[in-house]
Amino acid sequence: MGLPAGHVTDVPGLTRTQQLHALGNGVVPQQASAALRVLLDRHNAHTLPTAA
């Protein structure tokens, strides 16, 4: 997921359920980044001038 080892599991006081919840939410930034790259690629493919 792109997190350092122990990023969530080494936090004192978190239950296993809380750890899983935090990890489940942690994937969102990487998904958003991938989606933006795809959208920008599609946008650029349709808007950039072509060489003649």
Side-chain angles (χ1 to χ4, degrees):
M1 290 175 56
L3 300 172
H7 180 76
V8 173
T9 56
D10 287 346
V11 177
L14 286 184
T15 66
R16 177 160 170 76
T17 301
Q18 291 169 325
Q19 291 173 358
L20 292 172
H21 183 76
L23 288 171
N25 290 339
V27 77
V28 174
Q30 288 181 345
Q31 289 172 332
S33 176
L36 287 173
R37 279 193 306 274
V38 169
L39 289 172
L40 283 171
D41 288 345
R42 288 182 185 180
H43 173 75
N44 290 336
H46 294 300
T47 59
L48 293 177
T50 57

